[in-house]
Amino acid sequence: MFHKRSLKRLSVAVASLLSSVVLGLSSSVPPAAAAPTPVSATPLPTAQVNGVVWATAAYGNTIYATGRFSQARPAGVRVGGAGSVTRYGLMAFNATTGAIIPSFVHHLGGYAHDPCWGSKATGAQGCALAVSPDGKRLYIGGAFSTVDGQAHSNIAAIDLTTNKVVPGFRGTNLPVKAIAATNSMVYVGGNFTSAGGYGRSRVAAYNANGSLNTRWAANTNGIVRALVTVNDRLVIGGQFNRINGAVYYSLGAVYLSNGRVVTPWASQSSSFPIRMPYASSSITGLSTDGTQVYLTAYTYIPNRPHPGTFEGRAAIRATNGSIVWINDCIGDSYGVFAMNGVLYSASHAHSCAAIGGFRETNPKTYHRGLAETTTATGKNIRSNGAYYPSFVGWAAGSLYNWYPNFSTGTVTGINQGPWSVTGNGNYVVFGGEFLYINGKPQQGLVRFGGSR
């Protein structure tokens, strides 16, 4: 026999079930999807270099790094210590273990026109990296004239199936500072005016076999610092206001197949909020998760107003370049990468009060690695004041409480920490000129992974 209390509970359960059926409702509600969370901010043991890493790229379990350095060494080892190996401007390490990959040995050398950034890090160096989606090619852009002793001016490719330099790729007359690739083509940007023996103003396209694609042209009237492919187009960022003669304020898009401009595109309008019209301002980095394109930027115009400029990170739609959100943070940002729903960036941000984040301190507190949402969670709530433009009312994302403490370095002469960021789905990797992370010696490269 049922106890009266048990009978009452059964009656309530039946009534609830009948009510659900009558209303056409499910009798159970699936749990909400878990919100994305960043990886742990505790650095993992990672191979190091004795200079600066300007760019990183990931493919599978391999991380490639380029910059200006002459040695690589294991984690926890001082410069020149046990396990140090010669690596001139290019190296690779295992993403899972952090160990140097001994079979990947290549040498960027010869003459260099100017550094990737700053003025102090002179000499042959790599500024940009891209791996083709099929993993067959590693493309290097930079300021060099030889690779493994072979003549290659500022652009080269490594066949990753044979580990040999690809013939061809007659280079550019000035450094390549941005690079993006498909399986059949590689796109380069910089401040050059010729490529492959043809006139090309700051942007060019090469076929995977090393020949210049002479039918493709997308000239800009200023330096190109960032490129990313998304769907059928190439998004271009830098210091310019024209692409193929059409107005594009510092940010535009052309078709991968022929270099013709994508129009309409939001940055063609003088009302676009990120216009970067000054020589000392630029889009510095671009990346994509396939739907949104993320950008970073910097401005240095002291003691006078600078409308149209921006510092921080922003997301635009890949379809038409329109703004999704703007995270207004004072402090230059250089590289950005989205992984598992979290956006990581390399910068020296010192105030994100405009989006409800950390405020300016005296003396300044610099946050050189940040993690934030890839979606809008609110709005810009205040202006940074002084001479900075206001983005009050524009959609904004949120910062995570993720603040690894990067030190500055001395290689570039401009006292920065990380310059680039990438990842492979499990690990986030920063490259730069830093010497310490969270007070522990770690030079030029570091990876983060695991749960918070």
Side-chain angles (χ1 to χ4, degrees), residues 99-123:
I100 298 166
I101 295 177
S103 61
F104 188 83
V105 183
H106 298 282
H107 183 164
L108 304 184
Y111 178 78
H113 287 277
D114 59 63
C116 305
W117 282 93
S119 60
K120 190 175 178 181
T122 57

Side-chain angles (χ1 to χ4, degrees), residues 2 79 177 191 212 216 267 283 448:
F2 279 109
V79 176
K177 301 195 176 187
N191 56 348
L212 186 77
W216 194 98
S267 65
I283 303 298
F448 299 93

